[in-house]
Amino acid sequence: MPFPNNFLWGAALAANQCEGAWNEGGKGESIADHLTAGSRTKPRRFVKDLNLDKYFPSHTGVDFYHRFEEDIALFGQIGLKSLRLSIAWSRIFPNGDDAQPNEEGLRFYERVFTTCRENNITPIVTLSHFEMPYHLITAYNGFANKQVIDMFVRYAKTCFKRYKGLVKYWLTFNEINFGTLSAGRLFCLGLRDAAQENYFFTSGDETEHYQALHNVFLASARAVISGHQIDPQNQIGCMIANGLAYPLTPKPEDVLATQQRADWFNNFCGDVQVRGSYPSFAKRLLAKRGVTLEITAEDEATLLAGKVDFYSFSYYSSSCIAADPGNEGEGNLIAGQKNPYLQTSDWGWQTDPSGLRLTLNRLYQRYQVPLMVVENGLGAIDTLENGAVNDPYRIDYLRAHVEAMHQAIDEDGVDLIGYTMWTAMDVISAGTGEMAKRYGLIYVDRDDLGQGTLTRTPKASAVWYHDVIASNGDSA
Ligand code: P53
């Protein structure tokens, strides 16, 4: 069986990584606006006071805010059938707790989605992609505060109502399972004590941490319920960062440790969002860590009523786990140890297309709901030479993953409905804040100091992907 006829071939973006215009059109400050630029070896830092002499990558992004019409036209020329992008919550509710939504922000995305329609592109819209209004952290302590659930639901409803008929596919929270890591305490949960320089590695009260994650689950479930009420056509999914890991050796202790890691990092959040209840292992693990959550009967009913329609995930690489940890991997915050059988990218991420097929099988067997791969790609250094970018390494990466998806559909019977590779065009890297770590089908002339003409140049991978889409996967 080939790829289904209506397969959502596409590419992805996130508002804080591409839009720029951080304080235009009535937009408020978001968490992302407070992150400095870093590199593979130098972590991004969170700073409270925006000293505007400094360079903050999200403030200018790659100027999608002003160039979206030509950008989406280019995506149309590549033949993209779908575009995953996010709405910056702080464009719609600049402070999060505003009495009224910001009309200028609402109109901006209306124009974006209308431009998608004009180019025959189906939008897949993430409501929250690491860009919570900053005021919600300082004034409310983020999702630790139940009032923030109401604010998110109001934001979600505002979007569902305004974009009814223009948007059908929605994702609630990007990579919600980063909320289980210390790194996610700021960018997923918005916890005040994580809003500090070394934001990736903060620790704090675990009960507050997991109560905040619970509140994010409730916010997501209530958004799903409202989204279905507002438009029964809406298809609303979860979004999980896949952290596939293999046992480093066949030692039973390594196999067990790998399963435990997979349960905690991959399965916990997905189970809550797809099945509508906490898995037993998560309840036990939390209890053993001395974390007692306040989960009411009403909460349980909400989670059950707010189950998602499909499961989406990001997939970049895999790693290995040993019961005795030894050297932890670097380069990717969900990495374990290096796999001797796999190639490693310039940023330390290992390429593993078979792992995508394995992941698709595991997920489909676990959940039996349609799947979508909403991020997958290669961050690499590209060079513009004589007006062209030749990126055979990216084509190889993408081709191998398209083949893995084809096998999962054709040989294994997985119900896969879409693929939005990361990214449609070069954007700011989330992890490092660099431009140098490029994933795009389209090259953007911009460097790590924020210099460059911002000119867009489709890469060789764009030409390749055009043919893949036109042949519905046959020419990969
Ligand atoms: P970058 C790592 C760190 C931060 C975000 O990542 C991540 C990951 C993935 O393991 O998740 C997603 O830009 C995220 C995107 C991001 C993409 O991975 O650090 O949803 O926003 O750009 C790639 O190379």
Short mmCIF file of all heavy atoms in Angstrom, two decimals, residues 33-63:
data_model
loop_
_atom_site.label_atom_id
_atom_site.label_comp_id
_atom_site.label_asym_id
_atom_site.label_seq_id
_atom_site.Cartn_x
_atom_site.Cartn_y
_atom_site.Cartn_z
N ASP A 33 11.05 35.22 24.28
CA ASP A 33 11.66 36.54 24.05
C ASP A 33 12.74 36.85 25.07
O ASP A 33 13.48 37.83 24.91
CB ASP A 33 10.58 37.64 24.09
CG ASP A 33 9.58 37.48 22.96
OD1 ASP A 33 9.98 36.99 21.88
OD2 ASP A 33 8.40 37.83 23.15
N HIS A 34 12.83 36.05 26.12
CA HIS A 34 13.83 36.27 27.17
C HIS A 34 15.02 35.35 27.05
O HIS A 34 15.83 35.28 27.97
CB HIS A 34 13.17 36.11 28.55
CG HIS A 34 12.29 37.27 28.92
ND1 HIS A 34 12.66 38.25 29.79
CD2 HIS A 34 11.05 37.61 28.48
CE1 HIS A 34 11.69 39.14 29.90
NE2 HIS A 34 10.70 38.77 29.11
N LEU A 35 15.12 34.62 25.94
CA LEU A 35 16.24 33.67 25.80
C LEU A 35 17.32 34.24 24.89
O LEU A 35 17.05 34.71 23.78
CB LEU A 35 15.75 32.34 25.22
CG LEU A 35 14.74 31.57 26.08
CD1 LEU A 35 14.38 30.25 25.42
CD2 LEU A 35 15.27 31.33 27.50
N THR A 36 18.56 34.17 25.36
CA THR A 36 19.70 34.66 24.58
C THR A 36 20.09 33.61 23.54
O THR A 36 19.56 32.50 23.53
CB THR A 36 20.91 34.89 25.49
OG1 THR A 36 21.28 33.63 26.07
CG2 THR A 36 20.59 35.89 26.60
N ALA A 37 21.04 33.99 22.69
CA ALA A 37 21.58 33.03 21.72
C ALA A 37 22.67 32.20 22.40
O ALA A 37 23.37 32.70 23.27
CB ALA A 37 22.17 33.77 20.52
N GLY A 38 22.78 30.93 21.99
CA GLY A 38 23.84 30.06 22.52
C GLY A 38 24.50 29.31 21.38
O GLY A 38 24.50 29.79 20.24
N SER A 39 25.03 28.15 21.68
CA SER A 39 25.64 27.32 20.64
C SER A 39 25.63 25.88 21.16
O SER A 39 25.12 25.62 22.26
CB SER A 39 27.08 27.75 20.37
OG SER A 39 27.87 27.45 21.51
N ARG A 40 26.24 24.99 20.39
CA ARG A 40 26.28 23.59 20.84
C ARG A 40 26.95 23.48 22.21
O ARG A 40 26.57 22.67 23.04
CB ARG A 40 27.04 22.75 19.81
CG ARG A 40 27.18 21.32 20.28
CD ARG A 40 27.76 20.40 19.22
NE ARG A 40 28.09 19.12 19.84
CZ ARG A 40 28.56 18.09 19.21
NH1 ARG A 40 28.76 18.13 17.91
NH2 ARG A 40 28.84 16.97 19.86
N THR A 41 27.95 24.31 22.44
CA THR A 41 28.70 24.21 23.69
C THR A 41 28.29 25.25 24.73
O THR A 41 28.59 25.11 25.90
CB THR A 41 30.21 24.36 23.42
OG1 THR A 41 30.38 25.50 22.57
CG2 THR A 41 30.78 23.14 22.74
N LYS A 42 27.62 26.30 24.27
CA LYS A 42 27.25 27.38 25.19
C LYS A 42 25.73 27.45 25.30
O LYS A 42 25.04 27.81 24.35
CB LYS A 42 27.82 28.70 24.61
CG LYS A 42 27.67 29.90 25.51
CD LYS A 42 28.43 31.10 24.92
CE LYS A 42 27.60 32.35 25.06
NZ LYS A 42 27.27 33.06 23.86
N PRO A 43 25.18 27.08 26.47
CA PRO A 43 23.72 27.05 26.57
C PRO A 43 23.08 28.44 26.43
O PRO A 43 23.70 29.45 26.76
CB PRO A 43 23.46 26.51 27.98
CG PRO A 43 24.77 26.21 28.59
CD PRO A 43 25.86 26.71 27.70
N ARG A 44 21.86 28.47 25.92
CA ARG A 44 21.08 29.71 25.92
C ARG A 44 20.81 30.07 27.38
O ARG A 44 20.63 29.20 28.22
CB ARG A 44 19.72 29.51 25.23
CG ARG A 44 19.82 29.08 23.82
CD ARG A 44 18.44 29.01 23.17
NE ARG A 44 17.98 30.33 22.76
CZ ARG A 44 16.87 30.54 22.06
NH1 ARG A 44 16.09 29.54 21.73
NH2 ARG A 44 16.53 31.75 21.70
N ARG A 45 20.73 31.35 27.65
CA ARG A 45 20.42 31.78 29.01
C ARG A 45 19.08 32.49 29.03
O ARG A 45 18.66 33.08 28.04
CB ARG A 45 21.51 32.73 29.53
CG ARG A 45 22.80 32.03 29.87
CD ARG A 45 23.88 33.00 30.31
NE ARG A 45 24.13 34.04 29.32
CZ ARG A 45 23.85 35.34 29.48
NH1 ARG A 45 23.32 35.78 30.60
NH2 ARG A 45 24.10 36.21 28.52
N PHE A 46 18.44 32.41 30.16
CA PHE A 46 17.21 33.18 30.36
C PHE A 46 17.59 34.47 31.07
O PHE A 46 18.31 34.44 32.06
CB PHE A 46 16.23 32.39 31.24
CG PHE A 46 15.05 33.21 31.66
CD1 PHE A 46 13.92 33.28 30.86
CD2 PHE A 46 15.08 33.95 32.83
CE1 PHE A 46 12.85 34.06 31.22
CE2 PHE A 46 14.01 34.74 33.19
CZ PHE A 46 12.90 34.80 32.39
N VAL A 47 17.15 35.61 30.58
CA VAL A 47 17.38 36.86 31.30
C VAL A 47 16.04 37.56 31.55
O VAL A 47 15.17 37.59 30.70
CB VAL A 47 18.34 37.82 30.56
CG1 VAL A 47 19.75 37.28 30.54
CG2 VAL A 47 17.87 38.11 29.16
N LYS A 48 15.92 38.10 32.76
CA LYS A 48 14.65 38.75 33.15
C LYS A 48 14.47 40.08 32.43
O LYS A 48 13.45 40.34 31.82
CB LYS A 48 14.68 39.02 34.66
CG LYS A 48 14.26 37.83 35.49
CD LYS A 48 13.88 38.27 36.90
CE LYS A 48 13.29 37.11 37.68
NZ LYS A 48 14.18 35.98 37.88
N ASP A 49 15.52 40.93 32.56
CA ASP A 49 15.38 42.28 32.00
C ASP A 49 15.94 42.29 30.60
O ASP A 49 17.08 41.92 30.37
CB ASP A 49 16.13 43.28 32.89
CG ASP A 49 15.50 43.32 34.27
OD1 ASP A 49 14.26 43.43 34.33
OD2 ASP A 49 16.24 43.20 35.26
N LEU A 50 15.12 42.72 29.68
CA LEU A 50 15.54 42.72 28.29
C LEU A 50 16.41 43.94 28.02
O LEU A 50 15.92 45.03 27.80
CB LEU A 50 14.32 42.71 27.37
CG LEU A 50 13.47 41.44 27.49
CD1 LEU A 50 12.25 41.54 26.58
CD2 LEU A 50 14.28 40.21 27.16
N ASN A 51 17.72 43.70 28.11
CA ASN A 51 18.68 44.73 27.76
C ASN A 51 18.77 44.74 26.24
O ASN A 51 19.33 43.83 25.63
CB ASN A 51 20.03 44.37 28.39
CG ASN A 51 21.16 45.21 27.83
OD1 ASN A 51 20.95 46.05 26.96
ND2 ASN A 51 22.35 44.98 28.32
N LEU A 52 18.19 45.75 25.65
CA LEU A 52 17.98 45.66 24.21
C LEU A 52 19.24 45.91 23.38
O LEU A 52 19.19 45.85 22.16
CB LEU A 52 16.83 46.57 23.79
CG LEU A 52 15.49 46.09 24.39
CD1 LEU A 52 14.37 47.02 24.03
CD2 LEU A 52 15.16 44.67 23.96
N ASP A 53 20.38 46.13 24.05
CA ASP A 53 21.63 46.16 23.28
C ASP A 53 22.03 44.75 22.89
O ASP A 53 22.79 44.53 21.97
CB ASP A 53 22.78 46.76 24.13
CG ASP A 53 22.49 48.21 24.47
OD1 ASP A 53 21.67 48.80 23.75
OD2 ASP A 53 23.08 48.70 25.45
N LYS A 54 21.54 43.80 23.66
CA LYS A 54 21.87 42.39 23.41
C LYS A 54 21.02 41.84 22.26
O LYS A 54 19.98 42.38 21.95
CB LYS A 54 21.54 41.58 24.66
CG LYS A 54 22.69 41.33 25.59
CD LYS A 54 22.49 39.99 26.27
CE LYS A 54 23.63 39.68 27.20
NZ LYS A 54 23.61 40.57 28.37
N TYR A 55 21.49 40.72 21.70
CA TYR A 55 20.74 40.08 20.62
C TYR A 55 19.88 38.96 21.18
O TYR A 55 20.39 38.02 21.81
CB TYR A 55 21.74 39.55 19.58
CG TYR A 55 21.13 38.64 18.54
CD1 TYR A 55 20.08 39.07 17.73
CD2 TYR A 55 21.62 37.36 18.34
CE1 TYR A 55 19.53 38.24 16.78
CE2 TYR A 55 21.09 36.52 17.37
CZ TYR A 55 20.04 36.96 16.60
OH TYR A 55 19.51 36.13 15.66
N PHE A 56 18.59 39.06 20.99
CA PHE A 56 17.66 38.00 21.39
C PHE A 56 17.07 37.43 20.09
O PHE A 56 16.32 38.14 19.40
CB PHE A 56 16.56 38.56 22.28
CG PHE A 56 17.03 38.98 23.64
CD1 PHE A 56 17.46 40.28 23.86
CD2 PHE A 56 17.07 38.07 24.68
CE1 PHE A 56 17.91 40.67 25.12
CE2 PHE A 56 17.52 38.45 25.94
CZ PHE A 56 17.94 39.75 26.16
N PRO A 57 17.40 36.17 19.77
CA PRO A 57 17.03 35.65 18.45
C PRO A 57 15.54 35.77 18.12
O PRO A 57 15.19 36.07 16.97
CB PRO A 57 17.47 34.19 18.51
CG PRO A 57 18.55 34.15 19.53
CD PRO A 57 18.22 35.21 20.54
N SER A 58 14.66 35.56 19.10
CA SER A 58 13.22 35.56 18.76
C SER A 58 12.72 36.95 18.38
O SER A 58 11.65 37.08 17.79
CB SER A 58 12.40 35.04 19.94
OG SER A 58 12.32 36.03 20.95
N HIS A 59 13.47 37.98 18.75
CA HIS A 59 12.94 39.33 18.50
C HIS A 59 12.84 39.65 17.01
O HIS A 59 11.98 40.43 16.60
CB HIS A 59 13.82 40.37 19.21
CG HIS A 59 13.73 40.28 20.71
ND1 HIS A 59 14.09 41.28 21.55
CD2 HIS A 59 13.29 39.28 21.52
CE1 HIS A 59 13.90 40.91 22.82
NE2 HIS A 59 13.42 39.69 22.81
N THR A 60 13.73 39.04 16.25
CA THR A 60 13.67 39.26 14.80
C THR A 60 13.35 37.96 14.05
O THR A 60 12.81 38.02 12.95
CB THR A 60 15.01 39.83 14.29
OG1 THR A 60 16.07 39.13 14.94
CG2 THR A 60 15.12 41.32 14.61
N GLY A 61 13.67 36.80 14.66
CA GLY A 61 13.41 35.52 14.00
C GLY A 61 13.95 35.53 12.59
O GLY A 61 15.08 35.98 12.36
N VAL A 62 13.16 35.06 11.64
CA VAL A 62 13.54 35.21 10.23
C VAL A 62 12.49 36.06 9.51
O VAL A 62 12.27 35.95 8.32
CB VAL A 62 13.78 33.86 9.52
CG1 VAL A 62 15.04 33.18 10.08
CG2 VAL A 62 12.58 32.92 9.65
N ASP A 63 11.81 36.90 10.31
CA ASP A 63 10.90 37.92 9.78
C ASP A 63 9.68 37.35 9.06
O ASP A 63 9.11 38.00 8.17
CB ASP A 63 11.67 38.88 8.86
CG ASP A 63 10.96 40.23 8.72
OD1 ASP A 63 10.33 40.67 9.70
OD2 ASP A 63 11.04 40.83 7.64
#
